[in-house]
Amino acid sequence: MTEVLFNEVLTLQVKSKDCEDRRTNIRVTIELQSTTNPIHKKDLVVRLTDDADPFFLYNLNISEEDFQSLKIQQGLLVEFSAFPQRFVDLLQQCIQEQTKDIPRFLLQLISSAPVLDHTPAFLNVVETNPFKHLTHLSLKLLPGTDATVKKYLAICLKCLKEEKLRLEQNLKKTEEDLSRQLNYTQQ
Amino acid sequence: MTEVLFNEVLTLQVKSKDCEDRRTNIRVTIELQSTTNPIHKKDLVVRLTDDADPFFLYNLNISEEDFQSLKIQQGLLVEFSAFPQRFVDLLQQCIQEQTKDIPRFLLQLISSAPVLDHTPAFLNVVETNPFKHLTHLSLKLLPGTDATVKKYLAICLKCLKEEKLRLEQNLKKTEEDLSRQLNYTQQ
């Protein structure tokens, strides 16, 4: 079962090696994937995609065990169960600040390669106060392989087909409804 | 530039190693892809896909040079320019016959592996007369790799997004038109 906790387009600051910083709009999705078979297990999935580029995909899968290392490594004070909401709160703060010239909260994607391609990248939520940059969270994301991009696109295609079907039904119903009303009033 | 010459769902007989023959519905697409840069070049693309399975993909790219070998190998009497239409004609004959218990023309996909997976397969157009099976055409198709499936799904997604946008515009226009007419007649 997949529960979507966050799914929004955000302005992201991209920093890659030997390149000028640039800003781009990226969709950030946070999902909680639960499986009960064979064991009860929850995974937090973080995914970056670009609505304009179907091949752009970065993702991260955090299991409860992975979270323990992340917690120690980043000095987090929350448990796995509370973490997703805190992450969403941070992203909401970035959204509130993203139209400002000097945003207090900023979402960054940092790559050690010159272009975003096959290298892992760090997704950072950074607060800038008059004194310094404070990194609230830093997650290491992996670029999508052909196989993961393929799977992701298949899911997109399935959703879009369902939306299209709903729209077709809606259009048909609207045409029928209004024609009927029109006939009725013309009589 | 891509010219779509054929795009239909056909009943296909699948023969794979050590398995019972089965019938399945498969979309067959034939496209003529022209490039003029750096040189003028035409490729015929044959693609099998499954509307119900986004990962099913077999394809074949026939250039004018490839066609010369195909022509000799299969004893064809037509040139590259006439070949696509003859192939479409054969597929149309398969469509006409596909609801019959004993179809005279049949489209077959033959794989030497037990399942359709990573092995090339032969797409045959077979005529069955009282005397024998006549293979009119036999094309060797390659299964899609993660990379080719990814590219194919991205194109599907792009088309579907455009269709969805058209539907949304159509729905909006229909609602407006009919509301206006309704208002007008009610006055």
Side-chain angles (χ1 to χ4, degrees), chain A residues 146 150 163-164 181-182, chain B residues 146-147 150 163-164 181-182:
Chain A
D146 283 344
K150 179 185 88 170
E163 282 175 41
K164 191 190 155 207
Q181 286 183 43
L182 198 61
Chain B
D146 283 344
K150 180 184 88 169
E163 283 176 39
K164 194 190 151 205
Q181 286 183 41
L182 199 61

Side-chain angles (χ1 to χ4, degrees), chain A residues 29-152:
Chain A
T29 311
I30 305 177
E31 289 175 356
L32 202 59
Q33 292 182 349
S34 318
T35 44
T36 48
N37 194 356
I39 50 158
H40 188 76
K41 190 169 170 296
K42 276 186 178 179
D43 278 352
L44 188 71
V45 178
V46 181
R47 191 164 50 227
L48 305 188
T49 54
D50 181 348
D51 288 357
D53 174 6
F55 301 136
F56 183 93
L57 176 69
Y58 275 85
N59 56 12
L60 169 67
N61 221 313
I62 310 173
S63 69
E64 289 204 56
E65 296 82 65
D66 297 337
F67 182 75
Q68 298 315 315
S69 342
L70 187 75
K71 192 181 160 182
I72 294 166
Q73 179 210 329
Q74 312 246 328
L76 304 178
L77 301 173
V78 295
E79 291 308 318
F80 183 71
S81 57
F83 174 71
Q85 189 53 52
R86 302 303 292 267
F87 185 18
V88 169
D89 292 345
L90 285 172
L91 293 177
Q92 294 290 7
Q93 284 185 283
C94 295
I95 291 177
Q96 280 167 20
E97 297 281 324
Q98 69 186 6
T99 52
K100 296 183 184 164
D101 280 343
I102 303 163
R104 200 162 67 86
F105 277 87
L106 186 70
L107 194 65
Q108 283 181 335
L109 190 67
I110 299 181
S111 169
S112 57
V115 284
L116 293 176
D117 50 3
H118 304 296
T119 328
F122 286 91
L123 182 71
N124 298 344
V125 180
V126 179
E127 182 187 352
T128 304
N129 67 24
F131 179 59
K132 70 168 284 184
H133 298 299
L134 288 165
T135 302
H136 285 251
L137 192 64
S138 178
L139 300 174
K140 188 180 181 180
L141 272 67
L142 296 177
T145 61
D146 283 344
T148 54
V149 173
K150 179 185 88 170
K151 276 184 202 156
Y152 164 71

Side-chain angles (χ1 to χ4, degrees), chain A residues 50-52 54-55 145-151 153-154 156-158 160-161 163-165 167-168 170-172 174-176 178-179 181-183 185-186, chain B residues 50-52 54-55 145-151 153-154 156-158 160-161 163-165 167-168 170-172 174-176 178-179 181-183 185-186:
Chain A
D50 181 348
D51 288 357
F55 301 136
T145 61
D146 283 344
T148 54
V149 173
K150 179 185 88 170
K151 276 184 202 156
L153 290 178
C156 292
L157 206 59
K158 187 169 169 279
L160 204 56
K161 276 185 185 173
E163 282 175 41
K164 191 190 155 207
L165 187 67
L167 266 176
E168 280 167 343
N170 204 341
L171 178 61
K172 192 163 168 278
T174 305
E175 282 173 348
E176 285 168 1
L178 290 172
S179 303
Q181 286 183 43
L182 198 61
N183 273 334
T185 50
Q186 277 174 337
Chain B
D50 182 348
D51 287 357
F55 301 136
T145 61
D146 283 344
T148 54
V149 172
K150 180 184 88 169
K151 275 184 203 156
L153 290 178
C156 291
L157 206 61
K158 185 167 171 279
L160 204 56
K161 276 187 185 170
E163 283 176 39
K164 194 190 151 205
L165 187 67
L167 267 175
E168 280 167 345
N170 204 342
L171 178 62
K172 191 161 170 277
T174 305
E175 282 173 349
E176 286 169 0
L178 291 172
S179 305
Q181 286 183 41
L182 199 61
N183 274 335
T185 51
Q186 276 173 339

Side-chain angles (χ1 to χ4, degrees), chain B residues 54-119:
Chain B
F55 301 136
F56 183 94
L57 176 68
Y58 275 86
N59 56 13
L60 169 67
N61 221 314
I62 310 172
S63 69
E64 288 205 57
E65 296 82 64
D66 298 337
F67 182 75
Q68 298 315 315
S69 342
L70 187 75
K71 191 181 162 184
I72 295 166
Q73 177 211 331
Q74 312 245 328
L76 305 177
L77 302 175
V78 294
E79 291 309 317
F80 183 72
S81 59
F83 175 71
Q85 188 53 51
R86 301 303 291 266
F87 185 19
V88 169
D89 292 345
L90 285 172
L91 294 176
Q92 294 290 6
Q93 284 185 282
C94 294
I95 291 177
Q96 280 166 20
E97 297 282 322
Q98 70 186 7
T99 53
K100 297 183 184 166
D101 282 342
I102 304 164
R104 200 162 66 87
F105 276 87
L106 187 70
L107 194 64
Q108 283 180 336
L109 190 67
I110 299 181
S111 168
S112 57
V115 285
L116 293 176
D117 50 4
H118 303 296
T119 329

